Amino acid sequence: MTLVLADERSPEALRSALFEGRTVVWFKDLLIGEPPHLQALLQAGLTLDDVRWHPSRDVVSVTLANHTESPMRLRHLTTASQSFTGQANLVDIDPHSRTQLTLRPAQAADEVRLEFEVLNALTAPNEHPRIALQADVAPRVQALAEYRHEGDPGFRIAFPEGSQPVAPDAEDQVFSASTPDGVTFRASVAPESDVTLEDTAAAWASGAEATGIGTDFEVTKNQAVTLADGSPAFRAEIRWLYLPAGVRLATQAVFAAHGGQVVSVAAHPLEDSAGVASAARIVESLRFD
């Protein structure tokens, strides 16, 4: 296929672009063209979005978006002051998709600039174009480290600095947030019911499944524990399939009764991920004042 870089959608603009050679060949996901024309296509087709600084880990999260019909194979041109964490420098991104990258810069900055070599594009035999993408870093959010519930009952939970509040998704939730690693956690308060504390994890799973948000729920852990303040509680793990994203989660939860109320703290990391340990620390930090 020949891609024509015309100024407008008209026969005259098409004719002008063809005679001036403003074209790019697209053959089996390989883009071939003169440097200025490939640069114009790549600059329009690739963007950096949602760039955020996470002070607790000294990293910047970046969303790389591919707006074209072609997959892109990119090699990040690492420097001494800038590299990715948790992945190699090769980035494959499908057409019309987005991928999140974690960048460890030498220091915090108001702007991020990434340079890539586009491996599935050629300006000459064995010569790949380079593209520089840049975006402003989102304003920093005040770091959070603890939530204290001032209502009845009073309690606290601790979580990583840099966590950001998110919108609750149920009426009984009193606090909702997401860690810098993307683990969502929520604290809820509800009146005690006929359900025993030991059965609360199974009731939680049944209620979540009834909403249609997930399926294949299994309570894989449910044991009596004692909180740091001496209160009895149950510590649970519920594994399930989160349907909106098609991923499996290993929800970590603690359920405790106090003053006629049941307090639950649940965190939702990806199954078998490093986030499970972080989620466990969050829910196990619950203590009553």
Side-chain angles (χ1 to χ4, degrees), residues 35-47:
H37 309 323
L38 270 179
Q39 280 291 329
L41 179 63
L42 295 172
Q43 290 290 162
L46 294 168
T47 60

Side-chain angles (χ1 to χ4, degrees), residues 6-41:
D7 296 327
E8 61 182 34
R9 294 177 181 272
S10 70
E12 293 75 20
L14 180 63
R15 184 182 303 111
S16 175
L18 284 170
F19 278 115
E20 294 173 13
R22 286 187 273 116
T23 60
V24 172
V25 172
W26 181 25
F27 176 71
K28 293 185 177 180
D29 297 330
L30 181 66
L31 297 166
I32 307 169
E34 296 290 334
H37 309 323
L38 270 179
Q39 280 291 329
L41 179 63

Side-chain angles (χ1 to χ4, degrees), residues 48-208:
L48 297 181
D49 304 319
D50 194 25
V51 182
R52 296 182 180 276
W53 166 253
H54 301 282
S56 63
R57 297 184 296 153
D58 291 331
V59 298
V60 172
S61 64
V62 177
T63 299
L64 176 64
N66 178 7
H67 305 284
T68 76
E69 298 286 344
S70 173
M72 293 289 181
R73 186 167 180 80
L74 311 174
R75 182 172 70 87
H76 178 231
L77 301 178
T78 304
T79 65
S81 62
Q82 188 186 84
S83 62
F84 291 143
T85 64
Q87 70 178 71
N89 289 324
L90 287 178
V91 180
D92 289 298
I93 179 168
D94 292 330
H96 296 291
S97 68
R98 302 159 68 87
T99 187
Q100 189 172 71
L101 308 171
T102 303
L103 185 71
R104 189 176 298 282
Q107 60 185 14
D110 294 328
E111 183 182 75
V112 163
R113 184 179 188 274
L114 300 181
E115 189 172 357
F116 295 97
E117 184 178 24
V118 185
L119 300 181
N120 66 313
L122 291 171
T123 55
N126 299 318
E127 292 187 14
H128 304 291
R130 295 186 175 188
I131 181 174
L133 304 175
Q134 60 188 48
D136 293 334
V137 178
R140 302 184 192 182
V141 178
Q142 181 180 3
L144 303 174
E146 183 180 73
Y147 167 72
R148 181 174 182 178
H149 185 57
E150 301 293 348
D152 186 21
F155 64 88
R156 305 181 188 198
I157 57 172
F159 43 85
E161 290 188 351
S163 298
Q164 299 183 29
V166 298
D169 60 6
E171 292 183 0
D172 61 356
Q173 287 172 9
V174 295
F175 182 73
S176 303
S178 179
T179 70
D181 294 323
V183 176
T184 300
F185 60 96
R186 307 180 188 277
S188 303
V189 178
E192 284 191 82
S193 65
D194 295 335
V195 178
T196 65
L197 205 58
E198 183 176 4
D199 294 333
T200 304
W204 184 96
S206 297

Side-chain angles (χ1 to χ4, degrees), residues 262-284:
V262 173
V263 175
S264 62
V265 182
H268 310 286
L270 292 174
E271 190 175 65
D272 301 324
S273 71
V276 173
S278 173
R281 288 191 291 271
I282 294 171
V283 302
E284 291 169 5

